[in-house]
Amino acid sequence: MVGVRCCFKLLYAIVVMILLHMNNPCIGCSEREKQALLALKQGLMGDDSYRLLSWGREARNKDCCEWDGVYCSNQTGHVVKLDLGFQFLQGKISPKLIELQHLEYLDLSGNNFSRSQIPDFIGSLSNLRYLDLSNANFGGLIPYQLGNLRNLHYLDLKFQDYLSGSIYAKNLYWLPNLSRLKYLDLSVVNLSDVVGWLEAVIMLPKLTNLTLYGCNLPPPVISSVSLLNSSKSLVHVDLYKNNLNSSIFQWLPNLVYLDLSETKLSGRIPESIGQMSNLETIYLSMNSFEGVISETNFSKLSKLRILDLSSNSLVLNFSFDWVPPFQLRQIRLGSCKMGPYFPKWLRTQKSYDWLDISNAGISDTIPTWFGDLRNKVEYMDLSHNRLRGNLISELASYYLNVSWNQLEGPIPSIQSDVSILDLSNNKFSGSASFLCTSTTEESYLTYLDLSSNHVSGELPDCWIHFHKLVFLDLSNNSLSGKIPTTMGHLIRIGTLNLNNNRFVGELPSQLKNCINLTLVDVGENKLSGLIPEWLGENLLNLAIVILRSNQFYRSIPPQLCHLTQLQILDLSMNNISGTIPKCLNTWTTLAQKGHSSASIEHSNIFQWGGLFYDLPYDDEASLTWKGVRSKYKSILGLVKSIDLSSNMLSGEIPTEITYLVGLVSLNLSRNRLTGQIPSRIGNLQELDSLDLSRNQINGRIPISISWINRIGYLDLSQNNLSGKIPIGNQLQTIDFAYGGNPLLCGEPLPRTCSEEEKGPGQSVLAL
Ligand SMILES: *[C@@H]1O[C@H](CO)[C@@H](O)[C@H](O)[C@H]1NC(C)=O
Ligand SMILES: *[C@@H]1O[C@H](CO)[C@@H](O)[C@H](O)[C@H]1NC(C)=O
Ligand SMILES: *[C@@H]1O[C@H](CO)[C@@H](O)[C@H](O)[C@H]1NC(C)=O
Ligand SMILES: *[C@@H]1O[C@H](CO)[C@@H](O)[C@H](O)[C@H]1NC(C)=O
Ligand SMILES: *[C@@H]1O[C@H](CO)[C@@H](O)[C@H](O)[C@H]1NC(C)=O
Ligand SMILES: *[C@@H]1O[C@H](CO)[C@@H](O)[C@H](O)[C@H]1NC(C)=O
Ligand SMILES: *[C@@H]1O[C@H](CO)[C@@H](O)[C@H](O)[C@H]1NC(C)=O
Ligand SMILES: *[C@@H]1O[C@H](CO)[C@@H](O)[C@H](O)[C@H]1NC(C)=O
Ligand SMILES: *[C@@H]1O[C@H](CO)[C@@H](O)[C@H](O)[C@H]1NC(C)=O
Ligand SMILES: *[C@@H]1O[C@H](CO)[C@@H](O)[C@H](O)[C@H]1NC(C)=O
Ligand SMILES: *[C@@H]1O[C@H](CO)[C@@H](O)[C@H](O)[C@H]1NC(C)=O
Ligand SMILES: *[C@@H]1O[C@H](CO)[C@@H](O)[C@H](O)[C@H]1NC(C)=O
């Protein structure tokens, strides 16, 4: 699945800081060093930092070797190590730092230097062996003076300002001077102009670990001469997210760890990779590699543990009885075509915890040996194949996605630590009772998608165990009975989709506790009762409310006007009567043009192995647009729509509706509305679709309607409209728009208007 890996890679781990205090049996630092440290403290305003507190304090004033984070040589007494990592300091580095001429180790990572440049005087600390300035919000050009640090073994400048890439280098001419460097990490430094980056890296004879993730690296230029001297010591190469080309393969050494995912590589995977017999980890995902890979290509890769070829255009052609030379821990082969049979070689892999064989062209029954995996697969994606058969064992993966297959039979019980479960678009049947098999334990489930299956019967009333649930989609099944009241315990839920089932009764008032709901879709059921007032009183985050095609009755409660975030309201096909509330101009989002993003994204944070991850998802909704019903997901954020059609609404269309200038679709058709079309209807400049048909609306069509440039669908038919149809834009091309209004005249209708019918409405001033 595209995108998952970056999330897993990037998201935050909780930094646990163990503050070690070591006692140095020490001769004592010099006065100069002491003054330099105090100047350093002065420049760094984080006086509340735990570590800096001890600096210069009375009791310990004498010997700066006693200060926290300061370490002295036990032979010479000089300061050799300064460890100020993740002290959340802010400010400037004092130039007095260079008085610490014996410094070998400097860690200033995880502080905030407000995008200032890395000071060039750091290049004067000629004894430095270890320099970590990562995550410290440095900006600007990396100073070439770092090239003076000839003793440096370790240089880490990664992740300064992840989003803006505000730190950069124009060249790396200085890099080869660091001839002792073993470890280099410049991730997210903007190196887009550094054409010679590979030449510079090649000249570091001792380099073992190279990480240039997300650096905007241009395709490498390599001369054959420099290749001769190329470093043979590299074991770890991470070039994830750059703009490379296949020249990179001329250089790649016999690697242990190789990450070339999302690097715009194309063509065939070069044979040289199959020769890297030390390879343990290889990521080649999200490129445009193509061609056929056979088992011989893996014959030398016996040490392989992580294999990632996903999201390319590769075909894997392995013989049926292939026994691979490796034992993989992670198998990431999404979009690699390996069907039609279920890959039998997986049976030889004894202890993998990650399996992605989604969209692999497998059209087969899930073999029984697979359901019997002895070790727990923590991440399992089998989606988008044509897998048949039943799931037999208890569901235990933290992430399990079997959507878009043809699996059938009842759904097995779920272990309580499962977090993400996508079973949608299969043929699962039976009841939903599997949800409640572990009745006492708190469930870790945050995401549950069961949509488009054949699950039937009543929903069990055990939602009290699902405090963590953020997303629940049970739409398009055959569930019946009442919506359980314990759903009110879903305090984190953001998306609740029960569309197209057979639910009856009222919406349980307990749902008013679910204050984080942004999407409620209970459309196409047999629900009845009043539209609850608490929807508007309590669920103030609601953006999408779909009650379509039920049996709700009586009037629209004015409380719904409190939903300032409302973006889509679909109450169509109910028995709603009364008038349209005039207060609807309080719907702020609808009253604004534009949108913040094309999709409606939610974060979905879950816990896995003590760490927290986010697997964000986009909301989806089925909407009727221009008479056609379809699903919207990637562009749902662009849709601002009100659909009150097919009810028994009466009275006039409130003029306040013309404040909702963000509306893209307005459907009030098939009601009993009377009065005139608001004269300022033309304010709704974003309208793409307007349907007022089958009401009892009278009077003239306002001229302003001709100002709506975007209108692509207009239906005013079957009303009592009269007079001349205004001229403009598409108004004359939509010929079905006006039928059933005997008193209308002018184009595109055949009846021409009398002078009287042309009327005063032709003047703009009449607005
Ligand atoms: C001095 O430090 C070195 C390494 O830092 C250590 O190996 C050695 O045992 C220390 N000597 C004394 C006398 O503490
Ligand atoms: C870093 O400091 C600047 C002010 O100097 C402040 O605007 C910014 O928010 C800080 N960044 C972080 C991550 O704390
Ligand atoms: C690199 O080292 C050479 C001497 O070997 C020196 O002349 C040059 O100034 C150094 N470059 C940098 C940027 O430190
Ligand atoms: C990186 O630098 C190049 C040119 O210097 C610039 O065009 C590009 O926008 C920068 N990229 C980022 C992410 O800042
Ligand atoms: C890769 O890009 C470099 C720089 O543009 C170019 O010199 C080289 O020929 C390209 N290699 C391939 C295989 O396209
Ligand atoms: C290759 O290395 C040799 C010796 O280590 C050195 O003399 C020569 O200049 C280097 N060649 C290049 C192109 O760097
Ligand atoms: C260098 O890379 C190797 C192989 O991937 C890895 O085991 C090692 O931890 C890395 N070293 C550092 C300092 O990250
Ligand atoms: C895979 O093996 C075939 C036949 O042995 C060979 O032609 C092809 O180049 C190899 N591909 C790779 C990527 O090694
Ligand atoms: C797969 O391999 C078999 C024999 O190993 C060969 O006959 C067949 O043509 C290959 N299929 C593809 C698509 O390369
Ligand atoms: C499951 O897989 C499908 C198809 O590959 C994908 O669209 C969907 O987003 C995945 N579900 C989750 C929860 O990741
Ligand atoms: C509902 O599920 C059926 C299969 O059970 C599927 O064919 C249909 O496309 C689904 N409808 C929607 C709107 O997803
Ligand atoms: C509700 O959502 C907000 C923002 O999306 C989040 O900060 C808050 O933690 C959520 N509340 C619960 C109970 O999950």
Side-chain angles (χ1 to χ4, degrees):
M1 217 192 68
V2 179
V4 168
R5 200 172 83 70
C6 74
C7 306
F8 274 70
K9 185 162 177 167
L10 276 182
L11 271 144
Y12 49 93
I14 290 183
V15 180
V16 180
M17 269 174 303
I18 303 165
L19 302 172
L20 288 174
H21 181 70
M22 287 169 61
N23 282 317
N24 291 328
C26 141
I27 314 161
C29 70
S30 74
E31 186 62 23
R32 262 175 83 156
E33 287 174 322
K34 193 201 273 183
Q35 292 309 323
L37 288 170
L38 288 174
L40 193 65
K41 174 179 176 176
Q42 190 96 45
L44 298 172
M45 291 161 331
D47 270 13
D48 48 342
S49 146
Y50 180 81
R51 206 158 284 189
L52 287 191
L53 270 180
S54 65
W55 292 23
R57 278 278 190 82
E58 281 303 323
R60 296 159 127 195
N61 202 4
K62 274 203 203 121
D63 185 2
C64 67
C65 298
E66 297 281 308
W67 299 355
D68 289 321
V70 180
Y71 302 86
C72 298
S73 156
N74 59 8
Q75 262 125 42
T76 65
H78 289 298
V79 177
V80 290
K81 174 171 173 180
L82 207 47
D83 182 359
L84 296 177
F86 285 91
Q87 295 301 299
F88 310 102
L89 305 170
Q90 269 204 27
K92 281 203 157 58
I93 302 175
S94 163
K96 285 239 171 146
L97 181 70
I98 63 170
E99 306 280 338
L100 303 174
Q101 268 304 320
H102 298 271
L103 210 56
E104 293 171 10
Y105 182 111
L106 179 60
D107 182 355
L108 292 173
S109 63
N111 295 301
N112 182 358
F113 295 100
S114 311
R115 300 205 186 170
S116 62
Q117 240 185 330
I118 294 175
D120 50 21
F121 54 76
I122 286 190
S124 310
L125 296 168
S126 57
N127 284 309
L128 272 189
R129 295 159 58 87
Y130 182 103
L131 180 60
D132 185 354
L133 302 179
S134 64
N135 294 289
N137 203 14
F138 281 111
L141 193 65
I142 297 180
Y144 67 87
Q145 287 87 344
L146 293 186
N148 291 326
L149 301 174
R150 291 164 181 284
N151 290 306
L152 215 55
H153 285 64
Y154 185 103
L155 178 60
D156 188 354
L157 303 180
K158 69 169 175 276
F159 296 155
Q160 295 306 340
D161 183 348
Y162 178 62
L163 290 176
S164 80
S166 64
I167 186 165
Y168 63 96
K170 291 282 179 201
N171 63 62
L172 293 176
Y173 294 148
W174 50 271
L175 192 60
N177 276 20
L178 308 181
S179 58
R180 298 193 172 152
L181 209 57
K182 290 183 179 162
Y183 180 100
L184 177 66
D185 190 341
L186 299 179
S187 295
V188 200
V189 172
N190 190 349
L191 300 179
S192 66
D193 291 344
V194 187
V195 176
W197 64 272
L198 186 53
E199 298 259 335
V201 166
I202 278 178
M203 287 194 250
L204 297 170
K206 301 209 159 131
L207 198 65
T208 58
N209 294 48
L210 175 68
T211 307
L212 298 174
Y213 150 71
C215 290
N216 256 319
L217 291 174
V221 184
I222 330 177
S223 70
S224 44
V225 188
S226 61
L227 278 175
L228 291 176
N229 273 12
S230 162
S231 144
K232 299 282 187 293
S233 51
L234 275 169
V235 293
H236 182 109
V237 176
D238 182 348
L239 301 176
Y240 176 47
K241 271 201 174 186
N242 284 292
N243 308 314
L244 308 179
N245 68 14
S246 57
S247 290
I248 194 73
F249 293 111
Q250 293 175 32
W251 157 72
L252 284 178
N254 189 358
L255 290 195
V256 171
Y257 181 106
L258 180 62
D259 189 344
L260 291 176
S261 41
E262 240 186 306
T263 46
K264 306 219 165 86
L265 291 168
S266 59
R268 291 176 185 277
I269 296 178
E271 283 181 44
S272 55
I273 293 211
Q275 308 300 318
M276 297 181 176
S277 52
N278 288 322
L279 211 54
E280 290 178 11
T281 300
I282 182 163
Y283 291 106
L284 297 177
S285 63
M286 291 187 266
N287 284 296
S288 307
F289 287 120
E290 54 190 32
V292 181
I293 293 185
S294 67
E295 57 197 68
T296 54
N297 300 123
F298 287 102
S299 58
K300 294 190 177 157
L301 303 181
S302 60
K303 296 185 179 164
L304 211 55
R305 295 291 171 271
I306 298 180
L307 173 63
D308 184 0
L309 301 176
S310 52
S311 302
N312 286 290
S313 304
L314 294 167
V315 175
L316 304 186
N317 187 9
F318 302 140
S319 65
F320 194 64
D321 288 318
W322 182 45
V323 178
F326 47 66
Q327 281 292 330
L328 294 176
R329 240 174 8 83
Q330 298 195 0
I331 303 167
R332 298 165 177 248
L333 299 173
S335 309
C336 294
K337 298 295 172 247
M338 60 182 92
Y341 302 112
F342 196 88
K344 195 178 162 198
W345 63 270
L346 284 181
R347 195 176 185 175
T348 66
Q349 303 298 298
K350 296 300 179 200
S351 63
Y352 55 93
D353 55 23
W354 190 296
L355 176 66
D356 177 3
I357 49 170
S358 62
N359 193 19
I362 303 170
S363 176
D364 199 356
T365 321
I366 295 189
T368 42
W369 55 259
F370 184 77
D372 190 30
L373 287 168
R374 236 168 303 148
N375 293 292
K376 182 158 162 171
V377 182
E378 299 181 344
Y379 182 103
M380 178 132 73
D381 190 350
L382 308 180
S383 65
H384 248 289
N385 285 293
R386 257 166 292 148
L387 295 170
R388 299 183 300 269
N390 300 348
L391 292 183
I392 45 176
S393 58
E394 191 172 32
L395 307 183
S397 302
Y398 293 124
Y399 176 103
L400 177 64
N401 192 346
V402 295
S403 66
W404 298 98
N405 281 294
Q406 290 160 14
L407 298 170
E408 56 195 20
I411 298 169
S413 61
I414 311 173
Q415 281 189 8
S416 63
D417 52 359
V418 174
S419 286
I420 311 251
L421 192 55
D422 190 344
L423 307 176
S424 63
N425 294 285
N426 279 286
K427 296 176 177 171
F428 289 116
S429 56
S431 79
S433 61
F434 68 94
L435 283 167
C436 290
T437 40
S438 70
T439 42
T440 50
E441 276 174 280
E442 172 71 7
S443 163
Y444 277 77
L445 213 55
T446 65
Y447 187 105
L448 175 61
D449 192 347
L450 264 185
S451 62
S452 296
N453 279 291
H454 306 310
V455 182
S456 59
E458 297 196 11
L459 269 187
D461 203 359
C462 62
W463 299 91
I464 192 161
H465 303 300
F466 292 87
H467 280 142
K468 297 194 163 68
L469 203 62
V470 172
F471 177 98
L472 178 62
D473 190 347
L474 304 175
S475 64
N476 202 15
N477 279 288
S478 305
L479 294 162
S480 56
K482 291 191 171 184
I483 297 175
T485 56
T486 53
M487 281 201 162
H489 288 271
L490 303 177
I491 50 166
R492 290 190 60 195
I493 194 153
T495 300
L496 176 64
N497 192 341
L498 305 178
N499 189 287
N500 195 15
N501 280 286
R502 295 176 197 156
F503 289 111
V504 297
E506 303 187 0
L507 282 180
S509 64
Q510 287 81 356
L511 287 180
K512 70 179 169 206
N513 298 323
C514 307
I515 55 170
N516 259 17
L517 273 172
T518 60
L519 183 153
V520 172
D521 185 349
V522 295
E524 297 173 274
N525 280 289
K526 293 175 180 158
L527 296 167
S528 57
L530 308 180
I531 298 175
E533 294 175 357
W534 48 260
L535 273 182
E537 280 168 351
N538 296 69
L539 306 185
L540 295 176
N541 290 311
L542 278 176
I544 299 180
V545 178
I546 300 175
L547 308 184
R548 165 197 166 85
S549 192
N550 279 291
Q551 288 146 27
F552 289 104
Y553 54 81
R554 296 255 186 85
S555 57
I556 300 174
Q559 284 84 351
L560 288 196
C561 292
H562 299 325
L563 298 176
T564 56
Q565 319 279 325
L566 199 66
Q567 191 195 315
I568 295 172
L569 178 66
D570 186 348
L571 306 181
S572 63
M573 298 199 262
N574 279 285
N575 300 328
I576 302 168
S577 54
T579 58
I580 301 174
K582 287 168 103 42
C583 57
L584 48 72
N585 54 340
T586 56
W587 288 335
T588 321
T589 300
L590 287 172
Q592 282 163 358
K593 292 186 185 175
H595 46 84
S596 45
S597 61
S599 59
I600 303 181
E601 193 183 271
H602 291 267
S603 78
N604 169 26
I605 293 178
F606 66 100
Q607 200 177 355
W608 176 3
L611 299 181
F612 290 90
Y613 297 90
D614 192 1
L615 194 64
Y617 69 89
D618 290 337
D619 267 333
E620 181 177 51
S622 291
L623 299 170
T624 305
W625 189 281
K626 304 180 188 181
V628 181
R629 188 149 185 80
S630 38
K631 288 194 173 184
Y632 292 81
K633 185 168 185 174
S634 58
I635 57 161
L636 189 62
L638 311 186
V639 181
K640 294 185 178 180
S641 155
I642 294 179
D643 189 347
L644 307 179
S645 63
S646 301
N647 279 293
M648 298 180 304
L649 292 165
S650 56
E652 299 197 10
I653 301 173
T655 58
E656 287 79 2
I657 210 156
T658 63
Y659 289 102
L660 304 181
V661 298
L663 268 181
V664 178
S665 172
L666 177 62
N667 188 350
L668 304 178
S669 67
R670 296 168 198 263
N671 277 289
R672 296 170 188 173
L673 298 169
T674 53
Q676 304 199 357
I677 300 175
S679 63
R680 290 195 173 82
I681 192 84
N683 285 355
L684 304 182
Q685 290 284 306
E686 307 280 296
L687 265 192
D688 182 59
S689 171
L690 175 63
D691 192 347
L692 304 178
S693 66
R694 293 170 202 269
N695 280 289
Q696 290 144 32
I697 302 169
N698 56 39
R700 291 172 172 276
I701 301 175
I703 303 251
S704 73
I705 212 166
S706 68
W707 303 348
I708 309 177
N709 291 320
R710 304 196 178 184
I711 203 134
Y713 182 93
L714 177 70
D715 193 350
L716 305 177
S717 65
Q718 311 290 338
N719 277 294
N720 297 329
L721 294 165
S722 58
K724 186 172 188 307
I725 296 169
I727 309 273
N729 287 314
Q730 287 95 308
L731 297 187
Q732 271 61 44
T733 63
I734 310 172
D735 48 9
F736 60 84
Y738 311 100
N741 291 285
L743 300 179
L744 276 182
C745 61
E747 295 241 26
L749 294 178
R751 198 168 76 81
T752 51
C753 302
S754 66
E755 273 314 305
E756 195 190 342
E757 282 172 323
K758 282 181 188 163
Q762 296 302 338
S763 153
V764 172
L765 291 176
L767 290 173

